[in-house]
Amino acid sequence: MTFSSLLLQQTINGLSLGAMYALLALGFTLIYGILELINFAHFNVFMIGSFVALWVLQGFGLSGQAIVLTGLPLVGVLVAAFAVTMGGCGLLGVAIERVTLRPLRNVTGPAAMITTIGVSYILFNIVLLITSAQTMNFPNPLPPLQWNVGGAVVTLQELLIWGVAPILMLGLWAFVQKSRLGKAMRATAQDPEAARMMGVEVDKVVMTAFFLGSALAGAGGMIFGLYYNFTSFLIGFTAGLRAFTAAVLGGIGNVPGAMVGGILIGLIEAYSGQFIATEWADVIIFSILVLVLVFRPSGLFGRVAPTKS
Amino acid sequence: MLLEFKDIDTYYGDLHVLKKVNYAIEEGEIVSLLGGNACGKSTTMKTIMGVVRPVRGTVIFDGKPIEKLPTAERVKRGIAPVLEARRLFPRMTVFENLEMGAYLRARGPEFDEDLERVYSLFPRVKERRNQIAGTLSGGEQQMVAMGRALMARPRLLCMDEPSMGLSPIFVEQVFDIIQQINKQGTTIFMVEQNANMALQIAHRAYVLQTGQVVLSGNAADLRRDPMIREAYLGEMQVPVT
């Protein structure tokens, strides 16, 4: 393989990973934007998402790579799996907020953040127990199609990811920009007290943020399974940390920032894996994060100066 | 009576902010609340809006007690705030800020009517409707803040320091518009540091000192009151020697 085809191949890989990180990063950013809370439970909501998707696909009689679907059945199964996974994870996120975080809403300090770490470990251990710590083979109903593009290979999985992730992100973007509840979310993020005095019910806004963020994490989890063809109770930590980095890199609280940050982290991971060494990928990712934060503490898209009032 | 405070006591932690405060505001009035810093003026506004809950006492709006109702319910019943220091949503457009004012109301002919009303009161707001609110000047932001409150079609407008930080020309405009809004039928309860201007447009006023109402009455009478003249209108009494 020539250098340019390697570069192209890693760009393809990086965009796929990046789409997954971006979906996951959006959840961090949505919740941070509204509650100024870093939700570490998000790591394992993502992990659970991959298992929900696994169980749904198994429910359709799929296992491993043995059964391949095409046409309408394939589309139907994928849509159903994404819908159930996202809905389930969304509700899980809402439940986490309702049960563990709302009682702490007016408590200042790190109590709520520490709680999310605790919740994260609870989710982690539940799945550990259910799966007996085994790595699971993720059903892949996609036909093994692939295309040669300029010396690089694009698989059907990757095309699927490139289709699904932007649709979800555009959907989120439109919701936040145009819908009544989305505007209430933005208003609450910018001035919670003023939003409340316009009649915005903060609890509803917080619930919406948790639902949407967790649903996107679920979609990310399913994409992880389809991309790597496996899942395990361990996947939340690495992917979650990288996605969190992506959110900070883009400017936490900033929706487009999380999308761009996710793609960047995906590309960095792919390039450094190819051209340096896989073991160095995280070192490079976090070094770039440190550099960005030194020179732009509020992230690439973060607000540098407070707006005048 | 449109709004009444009956023996309201409000605390911030251990700090006793409002002490057995009574107000009574008639429909159609402009009532001004005067007082120095940290005397409980803003707490009064927050108590009306339900952001701060009184420990004792009753707040009555339109004949019904509201002190236990959530803020959204109060907005629904017709109370809208113009907050201290404007408090626009700085990264939303002017139009989106106005929409947030009408958050609890459905879109439709009434919404369009109110939007037209706001645009005719504040032509500048119409010109700037697609601009990001945080980039407007202080005076323009004040107009948006007032427009935003009007979008709730309130019966009672609670204004916290509408003239703060504005240039003298804007201050006069703002007070003119407050009078216009009042003539169109909205009752106004206004906290104001600029006692001179406030007493010119208000029908009545209350004077708050360290959480207690120390004086109240007609604006015209208060303007002549020696204590008011000294403390709030900036007129020193020269001791006769």
Side-chain angles (χ1 to χ4, degrees):
Chain A
M1 271 179 129
T2 62
F3 177 79
S4 65
S5 62
L6 274 180
L7 190 68
L8 185 61
Q9 185 65 60
Q10 291 311 327
T11 307
I12 291 167
N13 296 351
L15 287 176
S16 310
L17 290 171
M20 183 179 78
Y21 293 144
L23 287 175
L24 201 43
L26 282 168
F28 286 114
T29 249
L30 281 178
I31 290 160
Y32 186 87
I34 284 162
L35 289 180
E36 295 196 356
L37 168 73
I38 296 165
N39 174 25
F40 288 104
H42 203 59
F43 286 28
N44 285 320
V45 171
F46 161 82
M47 179 270 288
I48 286 186
S50 75
F51 277 96
V52 174
L54 172 95
W55 292 321
V56 173
L57 292 173
Q58 285 180 341
F60 280 110
L62 300 167
S63 75
Q65 277 67 50
I67 302 166
V68 167
L69 299 174
T70 51
L72 218 53
L74 176 66
V75 175
V77 164
L78 286 176
V79 168
F82 268 112
V84 173
T85 306
M86 292 178 67
C89 286
L91 292 179
L92 175 64
V94 169
I96 290 170
E97 191 276 325
R98 183 70 194 82
V99 175
T100 70
L101 295 171
R102 195 172 301 175
L104 296 170
R105 183 78 57 79
N106 295 317
V107 179
T108 50
M113 190 184 78
I114 303 292
T115 301
T116 66
I117 296 176
V119 172
S120 210
Y121 271 101
I122 291 170
L123 299 177
F124 176 88
N125 280 292
I126 289 173
V127 177
L128 168 70
L129 280 173
I130 294 175
T131 63
S132 323
Q134 276 179 334
T135 297
M136 315 282 260
N137 200 340
F138 197 91
N140 181 5
L142 293 167
L145 292 177
Q146 52 182 50
W147 296 268
N148 275 305
V149 184
V153 176
V154 182
T155 64
L156 187 60
Q157 267 112 315
E158 282 162 334
L159 289 185
L160 176 75
I161 293 169
W162 297 349
V164 170
I167 288 171
L168 293 178
M169 287 191 250
L170 274 177
L172 177 78
W173 175 248
F175 178 83
V176 170
Q177 288 299 317
K178 299 287 174 209
S179 74
R180 181 167 168 275
L181 205 50
K183 285 175 190 167
M185 281 173 77
R186 281 191 290 145
T188 306
Q190 293 174 29
D191 189 336
E193 194 180 69
R196 193 174 151 196
M197 288 205 233
M198 302 296 118
V200 172
E201 290 117 327
V202 175
D203 284 345
K204 217 159 136 187
V205 166
V206 171
M207 257 171 59
T208 310
F210 270 87
F211 184 86
L212 292 175
S214 306
L216 293 178
M222 176 160 163
I223 285 176
F224 180 96
L226 288 172
Y227 189 71
Y228 288 111
N229 292 324
F230 81 92
T231 186
S232 112
F233 68 104
L234 282 168
I235 67 165
F237 188 70
T238 319
L241 207 53
R242 285 177 187 165
F244 174 63
T245 308
V248 175
L249 188 67
I252 193 152
N254 182 304
V255 169
M259 300 180 191
V260 175
I263 301 289
L264 280 178
I265 294 288
L267 288 172
I268 294 166
E269 181 184 333
Y271 292 145
S272 50
Q274 175 73 47
F275 299 114
I276 301 162
T278 313
E279 299 77 28
W280 284 86
D282 276 328
V283 176
I284 293 161
I285 288 171
F286 291 106
S287 306
I288 288 174
L289 175 74
V290 169
L291 277 177
V292 168
L293 290 185
V294 166
F295 292 105
R296 280 190 68 93
S298 49
L300 294 174
F301 289 73
R303 291 174 296 280
V304 181
T307 34
K308 62 178 174 179
S309 61
Chain B
M1 285 300 152
L2 187 60
L3 178 78
E4 274 181 281
F5 267 41
K6 286 189 167 163
D7 296 329
I8 288 291
D9 277 288
T10 302
Y11 290 81
Y12 278 135
D14 287 338
L15 194 64
H16 198 170
V17 186
L18 294 180
K19 297 165 189 162
K20 252 186 179 284
V21 166
N22 287 279
Y23 306 117
I25 292 158
E26 297 266 13
E27 186 127 39
E29 279 191 306
I30 300 180
V31 177
S32 184
L33 183 58
L34 306 176
N37 287 326
C39 67
K41 289 182 311 211
S42 291
T43 306
T44 295
M45 291 298 152
K46 288 182 178 172
T47 307
I48 297 173
M49 293 314 301
V51 173
V52 172
R53 297 287 169 98
V55 174
R56 280 180 297 275
T58 316
V59 181
I60 294 172
F61 181 73
D62 199 19
K64 294 182 193 80
I66 58 164
E67 74 275 1
K68 293 196 173 65
L69 296 179
T71 305
E73 183 56 34
R74 300 179 197 212
V75 176
K76 232 179 255 172
R77 292 187 183 195
I79 311 178
V82 177
L83 303 172
E84 188 178 359
R86 273 80 73 180
R87 300 280 289 275
L88 297 183
F89 302 111
R91 294 181 298 286
M92 294 170 89
T93 65
V94 167
F95 179 74
E96 286 173 334
N97 269 276
L98 296 178
E99 280 189 302
M100 286 309 297
Y103 181 71
L104 292 173
R105 300 177 54 211
R107 294 294 168 275
E110 282 201 353
F111 175 87
D112 299 337
E113 221 172 85
D114 289 347
L115 193 63
E116 275 318 306
R117 178 180 172 214
V118 168
Y119 285 163
S120 68
L121 277 171
F122 308 103
R124 280 290 271 283
V125 171
K126 187 176 187 179
E127 278 169 39
R128 306 267 161 153
R129 62 186 182 277
N130 293 321
Q131 205 167 318
I132 298 295
T135 64
L136 302 183
S137 74
E140 290 168 335
Q141 291 197 13
Q142 184 61 44
M143 292 176 178
V144 179
M146 288 166 73
R148 181 174 69 176
L150 289 177
M151 289 305 291
R153 197 173 269 205
R155 296 177 63 192
L156 175 68
L157 201 55
C158 293
M159 308 183 92
D160 200 346
E161 307 274 6
S163 77
M164 193 170 70
L166 300 185
S167 66
I169 295 176
F170 265 130
V171 171
E172 249 177 76
Q173 270 189 37
V174 162
F175 280 98
D176 263 2
I177 288 166
I178 293 173
Q179 274 185 302
Q180 277 186 50
I181 293 170
N182 176 248
K183 288 207 181 91
Q184 292 172 0
T186 308
T187 309
I188 289 169
F189 191 27
M190 173 175 64
V191 164
E192 187 50 69
Q193 294 265 11
N194 188 338
N196 197 8
M197 290 295 276
L199 287 177
Q200 278 178 36
I201 67 161
H203 302 109
R204 289 190 305 117
Y206 291 89
V207 179
L208 208 54
Q209 239 171 40
T210 56
Q212 284 172 309
V213 175
V214 293
L215 204 58
S216 67
N218 280 327
D221 295 340
L222 288 175
R223 270 211 306 271
R224 286 192 292 273
D225 188 282
M227 179 211 138
I228 296 282
R229 294 178 81 93
E230 187 181 353
Y232 300 107
L233 300 180
E235 290 177 27
M236 293 295 289
Q237 285 186 325
V238 182
V240 184
T241 51

